[in-house]
Amino acid sequence: MAESICRSLRDGALEGELAPTLTIKDSLASPFSFNVFSHILLQLSSQKSQSHGIVIVALSRSPSFYADLLKNKGVELSSSNKWIHILDCYTDPLGWKDKARKSGNVNVVSDQISLATSSYKSVKDMDKLFLAITDLGRGLVGENKVRFCVAIDSLSKLLRHASLQSVAGLLSNLRSHDQISSIFGLLHSDLHEERATAALEYMSSMVASVEPDHHSSENCLSEKNFTQGKFSVRSKRRNGRVRETSEKFKVEAEGISFASISAEDGTTVAGLLPKVQFNLQLSEKEQIDRAKVVLPFEHQGNGKPIQIYDGRRSLEESSGEGAPISRCKNEDSALGEIIYFRDSDDEMPDSDEDPDDDLDI
Amino acid sequence: MEHKELNLLNEALGFHNNNLYGRFVLVEDTVDTTAAFVLHQILKHSFSSHPSSSVIFLALSHPFSHYDRILRKIGCNLAAQRDNKRFFFIDMLMLQFPDEGKPNDVGFAAVFEKIESVIKALPQDNTKFVTIMIDDISFLQVAANGSSNDVLDFLHYCYTLTSEYGCAFIALDHKDIYLNEEKPAIISEMEYLADILVKAEPLATGLAKDVHGQLMVLHKQHGISPVKIHNFHFKIKENSIECFYPGTKI
C-alpha cells in the first residue's frame, strides 16, 4: 500500500538498524515509477517524519523540475532551504559543460532556481557521490543524532554510470549511515540485467512494482495502460516476514492516486474468456440442475438388480463389463454390483485438468 | 492537397500550439517502414512555428543536398534558411571516434560544445525557439564503436538543453537494429526519456500497395496535459505523404 510505504519511510530507522530502503520498479509497459517517486517525495515533504531533511540526488530530472513540482503542490519554497537540498547530477554529470567553460568557449548561464542546489560533476565516482550526499545531509540537519532522508532520482542512471558492485556499495553505505533515516529510489527493470535488478531488490526493505493491468504480448501502448495499472508492494518486516499487497493506481493531471483492488476486479479473470455470442458460464439454476442429473452407474438400485446395457443382448451377464475407467469395485455377490466412486466431484466443469494426471505408471 | 493529407500528422504532433518546444521527440522506425518523412515534416514546420526560430541539424546519414532536395518538394527552401542563419547544418557524415587518440567522451563532448555554442550565439530571445534534430542515433553508435554508454551520455546532455533553453529535441532511431541484443539499452532508455514517441511500424498484415505502414504518436503526460495517443496509417507518395485513419483509404 502506498500509504504504508510512506509511513515506513516516515518512521525511519531504529538505532543500530539499517535504514528502510524502497525501490520503485517499473517497465516500459507501465512507466510510472517517477510518478510514484514524486508522490512519495511530496508526502515526505509535507508530513512529520523522523527525518528533518531530504537530499534529492537528481539524475534524470532538472532541479527546476523539482522546484516546480513542490511549488505546484503548495509547498513553501522560501523556507525550503532548511529542509531540502538537491544534488544536481542532471545538468552536468560528467563535467563536459565545465570543461567548455574553462576553455573559455561558453558563457556561464545562471539558473534561477528557488531550491538549494549543488552541482555534482563526477557521476561515475560512487565514493565521491556518497561523500557529497552525506555532506549535504549533514549540512541540512547538523551533526547530532538528527537524521535526513535520501531520494535517488534514478538508480537506473547510476547503474549506467557505474558498476553494479559500486552502486550496491553506495546503497549499502547509505543504509548503514547513522544519520540517514530512509532511502528511496526508482529503477527501470527493463534497462538492466536481471541480476542487477535482483541485487538492488535484495538490498531494499520494500520493493514497489508498477505494472500494467493486463500483460498483453502485443503492443502494450494503449491509453488505458498510460493512465492506470497495478501497484504491488513487497515489504520485509523486522521479524523477517515478507508481506505482499496490491493496489490499483491511476495517473491524473494532479498526480497519482491509489485505490484498493475491489471485488469487481476479481472478474478480470472472467474477462479473459473470449467474448463470443454464446454464454460460456453456468447460471445458478443451471448449476443446480446439473447437480441433479443422475449419471449412469449411479442408480440407487431400488432393490432391483442393476442392469447395464453394454450393447449386447446378454443383459443378465455379470456387470463390470463396459464399466467406465474410474474406480469401480466388483463384489462377489449373486447380483453384480457396481459401486461407482466419482472422483470428479470437486472438478469444475470444463476444467482443463488432464484426467490421466493421477495415473501411477 | 498536401495540407489536407498531412493534417493528421500535424495534429498528432501538436504543431498548432507549438507543442514540441521543451520536449524530446523520439521517432522510431524499421527497415520496412521509414519514418524519415516525420523528420522532414517537423523540419519544415519548425521554420514556420515562429519568425525567429532556428534549427540545428546533426546530419550523420545524408548530406545537405539530400535534405535540400526533399524539403524543396514539400515547399521549404533549406539553402535560403541556411543563408538566413536559421538553419545550422552540422555535417557529421565522417564522424568517427576515437579520433586521433582521443577517447569517445571527449569527442562527444566536443560535438555537444559545438551545439551549445551555436545556441548561445543566437540572440537572447531566440534561444527559446531552437529545434535540435539528429538523423540518426544509430550512426552515433557506429561512430562510438558500439559504446552505447557514451552515446547515451551525449543524448542526455542534448536532453538537458530542453530544460535549460526550452529547445525542442528530435531524434530518429531504428528499432530493428537492436533486436538481437539481450539488453536493448539505447532504444529503451530513449523511450523512457522521450516526452513524445512516434513509432512507425509495418502493418500486422504485411506489405500492401495502398498502405505503407502505421504510425503511432504518443504524448506522455507533461504537466497538466493528459496522455494522448494517435494511431493512423500512411502512404508515401512521390512528393508527399498521405495520412489517414485505418480503413478510410479510398
Side-chain angles (χ1 to χ4, degrees):
Chain A
M1 304 303 219
E3 188 47 51
S4 64
I5 297 177
C6 293
R7 213 179 316 125
S8 303
L9 292 175
R10 280 201 305 270
D11 290 342
L14 290 179
E15 191 68 44
E17 199 192 54
L18 291 177
T21 306
L22 165 70
T23 297
I24 307 164
K25 193 173 74 157
D26 71 352
S27 62
L28 276 171
S30 188
F32 296 112
S33 54
F34 193 78
N35 299 67
V36 177
F37 179 87
S38 316
H39 174 86
I40 293 177
L41 183 65
L42 288 168
Q43 292 280 320
L44 286 179
S45 315
S46 53
Q47 286 164 357
K48 215 166 174 304
S49 64
Q50 186 199 47
S51 70
H52 288 233
I54 302 181
V55 173
I56 303 178
V57 184
L59 289 131
S60 61
R61 293 286 195 285
S62 63
S64 47
F65 175 89
Y66 287 106
D68 289 337
L69 177 73
L70 291 171
K71 196 170 75 178
N72 290 341
K73 289 296 170 187
V75 176
E76 186 63 54
L77 288 182
S78 49
S79 58
S80 62
N81 290 342
K82 298 200 191 87
W83 55 272
I84 195 166
H85 203 114
I86 298 181
L87 186 61
D88 180 8
C89 306
Y90 163 90
T91 310
D92 194 8
L94 304 167
W96 289 3
K97 293 183 189 174
D98 220 24
K99 267 186 232 154
R101 243 169 262 154
K102 286 197 183 118
S103 64
N105 287 346
V106 193
N107 303 324
V108 179
V109 172
S110 57
D111 260 334
Q112 304 289 337
I113 311 167
S114 11
L115 281 182
T117 308
S118 306
S119 347
Y120 183 77
K121 299 190 167 92
S122 352
V123 86
K124 292 196 198 275
D125 188 339
M126 290 293 114
D127 296 324
K128 210 166 158 194
L129 184 63
F130 173 70
L131 288 172
I133 296 174
T134 46
D135 282 344
L136 270 187
R138 271 198 294 267
L140 271 181
V141 301
E143 289 287 340
N144 314 333
K145 293 272 186 162
V146 188
R147 293 177 183 257
F148 62 94
C149 172
V150 180
I152 301 179
D153 188 319
S154 176
L155 290 164
S156 289
K157 274 256 169 14
L158 282 184
L159 280 174
R160 194 167 70 69
H161 287 294
S163 67
L164 174 60
Q165 286 91 305
S166 32
V167 176
L170 170 74
L171 258 189
S172 177
N173 290 336
L174 287 173
R175 286 195 82 192
S176 15
H177 195 275
D178 51 12
Q179 271 190 286
I180 289 182
S181 151
S182 54
I183 307 163
F184 62 102
L186 63 96
L187 185 70
H188 301 303
S189 55
D190 39 14
L191 290 182
H192 312 288
E193 289 170 21
E194 269 190 53
R195 69 183 188 106
T197 317
L200 290 183
E201 279 187 32
Y202 187 71
M203 298 187 73
S204 316
S205 50
M206 293 176 280
V207 177
S209 311
V210 177
E211 292 152 8
D213 268 332
H214 303 288
H215 290 267
S216 53
S217 52
E218 299 188 2
N219 196 351
C220 312
L221 294 173
S222 67
E223 269 181 30
K224 219 166 170 235
N225 272 354
F226 268 88
T227 47
Q228 62 191 54
K230 198 168 95 157
F231 183 70
S232 313
V233 177
R234 195 173 76 234
S235 40
K236 291 182 217 166
R237 317 291 284 284
R238 287 193 173 98
N239 54 15
R241 237 171 39 136
V242 175
R243 187 167 157 246
E244 284 207 36
T245 50
S246 285
E247 273 184 315
K248 280 190 307 186
F249 72 85
K250 206 161 178 184
V251 174
E252 285 137 3
E254 305 85 45
I256 191 168
S257 61
F258 298 93
S260 53
I261 296 181
S262 51
E264 297 113 46
D265 300 315
T267 55
T268 45
V269 172
L272 289 173
L273 285 174
K275 289 178 178 55
V276 291
Q277 262 117 350
F278 43 91
N279 190 7
L280 291 174
Q281 313 275 43
L282 289 175
S283 71
E284 273 290 322
K285 183 176 178 301
E286 286 167 341
Q287 276 175 349
I288 295 171
D289 286 343
R290 190 191 176 127
K292 279 202 206 133
V293 168
V294 182
L295 292 177
F297 311 114
E298 272 193 341
H299 297 285
Q300 310 311 312
N302 298 333
K304 292 192 233 148
I306 299 164
Q307 295 191 332
I308 300 114
Y309 180 69
D310 62 359
R312 290 180 297 194
R313 296 253 176 128
S314 45
L315 290 170
E316 247 87 330
E317 297 286 291
S318 60
S319 46
E321 290 181 307
I325 349 98
S326 309
R327 300 154 216 173
C328 59
K329 282 191 205 156
N330 281 333
E331 294 204 295
D332 285 328
S333 54
L335 300 161
E337 216 177 294
I338 293 177
I339 299 172
Y340 183 63
F341 293 97
R342 265 172 86 181
D343 61 352
S344 58
D345 262 330
D346 37 342
E347 197 178 301
M348 289 310 297
D350 296 326
S351 133
D352 281 337
E353 215 182 288
D354 188 351
D356 295 332
D357 261 344
D358 57 352
L359 284 182
D360 192 20
I361 298 170
Chain B
M1 201 62 228
E2 184 235 294
H3 230 313
K4 187 170 157 234
E5 287 171 342
L6 280 159
N7 257 350
L8 276 182
L9 180 60
N10 294 345
E11 198 187 300
L13 288 169
F15 282 156
H16 51 279
N17 48 7
N18 275 344
N19 232 359
L20 302 184
Y21 288 117
R23 315 247 180 137
F24 169 36
V25 181
L26 176 69
V27 184
E28 270 181 40
D29 66 1
T30 64
V31 165
D32 291 327
T33 37
T34 167
F37 67 90
V38 177
L39 277 192
H40 304 147
Q41 192 60 17
I42 296 177
L43 182 53
K44 176 181 173 220
H45 184 265
S46 56
F47 293 119
S48 44
S49 65
H50 190 269
S52 39
S53 61
S54 44
V55 177
I56 303 174
F57 197 97
L58 241 73
L60 294 119
S61 60
H62 300 289
F64 178 78
S65 50
H66 169 92
Y67 299 103
D68 193 22
R69 185 170 34 91
I70 292 184
L71 271 271
R72 211 166 315 139
K73 280 191 196 163
I74 58 174
C76 177
N77 190 340
L78 275 188
Q81 301 287 14
R82 185 179 51 175
D83 299 333
N84 284 344
K85 299 266 184 278
R86 289 183 70 191
F87 182 65
F88 300 91
F89 188 82
I90 302 181
D91 187 329
M92 315 221 90
L93 287 166
M94 305 314 275
L95 188 70
Q96 181 68 41
F97 302 133
D99 184 31
E100 296 150 20
K102 278 186 265 181
N104 276 348
D105 59 331
V106 174
F108 276 119
V111 176
F112 175 73
E113 199 188 311
K114 200 167 178 182
I115 300 174
E116 219 192 354
S117 56
V118 170
I119 299 178
K120 299 217 180 181
L122 292 171
Q124 184 71 17
D125 298 325
N126 296 356
T127 56
K128 280 200 295 285
F129 302 107
V130 179
T131 302
I132 304 164
M133 295 180 84
I134 300 186
D135 182 10
D136 57 57
I137 296 181
S138 56
F139 282 101
L140 281 177
Q141 224 183 344
V142 169
N145 280 329
S147 162
S148 52
N149 260 339
D150 292 315
V151 176
L152 282 169
D153 289 337
F154 173 70
L155 291 171
H156 172 84
Y157 271 90
C158 293
Y159 181 76
T160 63
L161 296 172
T162 61
S163 48
E164 216 174 309
Y165 297 101
C167 309
F169 177 40
I170 327 276
L172 173 68
D173 203 357
H174 309 300
K175 192 167 164 180
D176 39 12
I177 62 176
Y178 300 104
L179 285 178
N180 281 340
E181 289 176 20
E182 295 111 33
K183 274 285 147 203
I186 292 195
I187 198 96
S188 302
E189 189 142 349
M190 288 291 103
E191 283 191 21
Y192 273 113
L193 212 53
D195 298 306
I196 301 176
L197 196 55
V198 180
K199 274 188 169 175
E201 282 170 337
L203 291 179
T205 44
L207 295 173
K209 194 169 68 120
D210 290 321
V211 181
H212 292 157
Q214 57 190 10
L215 205 67
M216 194 261 329
V217 181
L218 164 71
H219 287 254
K220 290 200 203 160
Q221 196 189 32
H222 190 96
I224 50 159
S225 46
V227 172
K228 195 88 185 73
I229 296 190
H230 302 260
N231 278 302
F232 45 89
H233 289 173
F234 64 89
K235 177 178 178 179
I236 302 181
K237 299 197 321 219
E238 173 61 40
N239 285 348
S240 64
I241 311 289
E242 201 183 318
C243 296
F244 44 89
Y245 284 121
T248 58
K249 176 95 180 75
I250 300 160

